[in-house]
């Protein structure tokens, strides 16, 4: 594959973490305290019972802390080193791209390792697992929430604009490990196509994006991405 100029790529939940994640939250009998993720990852649930929502996030953070970046994450770090205009766009909140060493990341859905004050809006990193006190609070005394985008919430200001700019100025757009159904990120595929980028899907299965892309590579991202370097 010839990748020249601006490459926008995204890697979304693959490898060990996804397997653990499914087993814990979405696999048979794997719901946390009988809650589905969408029942807790929303502002109403948090307003009603912040401690419960934080217990769930605390649990997720403990699982993620044990996961390791896979060869796919590491290959994207290499892409970034070789292509100065590379942009990584992800819906993942797990921070594995940071841990792998990626530097230029647009985290569309935020970051589970950051907190945001519901009162003053301050935003800060906190990697402690487990968190010492639930729910956590800001220095101003306000209740803190995970700095992630919940169901029904918009993306952070300017985030989608930056992502659109990256894909519409890219020559190659790798669409990696996403079902391509969650908006607004799923719109990046037609935007990239329309702007003239070559769009390559890397996924183990057919997705909503498959019919729109120039090239499909079937298989695990952890196997395929290192081979594209
Ligand atoms: N390599 C490549 N593709 C993979 C691999 C792998 N190792 N493992 C899984 N996949 C593919 C699946 O085939 C599927 O198409 O990853 C996709 C995962 O799809 P979703 O679970 O829908 O995840 P995603 O598209 O990332 O979801 C977007 O929704 O639930 C939220 O928090 C989630 O922010 C995320 C958003």
């Amino acid at each position: 594959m010839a990748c020249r100029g601006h490459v926008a790529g995204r890697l979304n939940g693959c490898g060990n973490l996804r397997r653990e994640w499914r087993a814990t939250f979405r696999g048979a009998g794997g719901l946390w305290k009988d809650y589905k993720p969408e029942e807790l990852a929303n502002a109403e649930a948090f307003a009603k019972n912040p401690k419960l929502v934080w217990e769930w996030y605390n649990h997720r953070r403990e699982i993620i802390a044990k996961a390791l970046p896979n060869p796919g994450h590491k290959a994207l770090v290499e892409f970034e080193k070789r292509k100065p205009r590379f942009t990584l766009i992800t819906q993942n909140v797990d921070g594995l791209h940071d841990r792998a060493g990626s530097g230029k990341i647009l985290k569309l859905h935020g970051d589970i390792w950051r907190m945001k004050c519901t009162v003053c809006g301050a935003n800060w990193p906190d990697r402690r697992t487990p968190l010492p006190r639930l729910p956590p609070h800001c220095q101003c005394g306000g209740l803190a929430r995970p700095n992630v985008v919940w169901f029904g919430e918009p993306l952070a200001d300017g985030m989608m604009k930056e992502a659109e700019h990256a894909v519409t100025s890219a020559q190659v757009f790798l669409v990696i490990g996403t079902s391509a159904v969650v908006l607004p990120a799923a719109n990046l595929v037609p935007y990239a196509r329309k702007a003239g980028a070559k769009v390559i899907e890397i996924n183990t299965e057919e997705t909503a994006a498959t019919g729109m892309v120039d090239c499909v590579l079937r298989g695990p991202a952890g196997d395929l991405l290192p081979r594209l370097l």
Side-chain angles (χ1 to χ4, degrees):
M1 183 189 68
C3 294
R4 286 181 294 105
H6 195 156
V7 180
R10 47 197 300 273
L11 177 70
N12 206 331
C14 57
N16 294 336
L17 178 62
R18 179 159 294 280
R19 282 197 289 275
E20 277 191 58
W21 205 263
R22 283 253 157 85
T24 310
F25 301 116
R26 293 189 178 132
L31 300 180
W32 182 79
K33 291 190 179 177
D34 284 339
Y35 291 100
K36 291 182 198 159
E38 53 271 35
E39 289 177 295
L40 295 172
N42 69 75
E44 292 73 30
F46 187 70
K48 199 167 141 201
N49 194 342
K51 188 157 185 282
L52 176 76
V53 172
W54 264 115
E55 280 169 1
W56 181 54
Y57 274 95
N58 200 34
H59 178 66
R60 294 177 67 186
R61 286 161 57 110
E62 288 183 314
I63 292 169
I64 294 167
K66 290 183 199 136
L68 293 172
N70 69 27
H73 294 91
K74 290 179 187 154
L76 291 175
V77 178
E78 285 307 310
F79 275 125
E80 184 176 338
K81 283 186 194 153
R82 295 177 194 192
K83 306 287 171 193
R85 294 176 64 210
F86 179 91
T87 302
L88 175 59
I89 305 167
T90 184
Q91 292 176 104
N92 288 358
V93 299
D94 55 35
L96 282 176
H97 290 300
D98 305 87
R99 279 170 63 196
S102 285
K104 193 175 166 196
I105 315 174
L106 294 181
K107 297 177 190 169
L108 298 185
H109 290 175
D111 186 338
I112 203 168
W113 300 109
R114 293 188 72 88
M115 312 268 185
K116 188 165 74 178
C117 179
T118 57
V119 176
C120 72
N123 181 320
W124 67 95
D126 187 334
R127 293 198 66 90
R128 290 173 297 175
T129 51
L131 286 162
R133 192 167 70 94
L134 297 180
H137 284 78
C138 176
Q139 281 181 348
C140 81
L143 180 63
R145 59 167 280 179
N147 189 30
V148 298
V149 177
W150 280 332
F151 288 98
E153 292 185 328
L155 304 194
D157 276 355
M159 184 65 79
M160 199 56 195
K161 272 244 163 317
E162 270 194 69
E164 282 170 25
H165 176 72
V167 301
T168 55
S169 53
Q171 287 178 307
V172 179
F173 181 35
L174 302 175
V175 182
I176 307 162
T178 176
S179 53
V181 291
V182 176
L183 294 171
N187 286 333
L188 295 174
V189 176
Y191 291 164
R193 274 306 302 273
K194 205 167 164 215
K198 288 280 171 234
V199 182
I200 301 170
E201 173 174 75
I202 297 179
N203 202 301
T204 48
E205 294 167 8
E206 188 169 325
T207 73
T210 304
M212 286 184 260
V213 303
D214 296 289
C215 170
V216 174
L217 302 177
R218 276 284 163 262
D223 293 346
L224 292 172
L225 280 171
R227 288 161 61 190
L228 292 183
L229 283 169

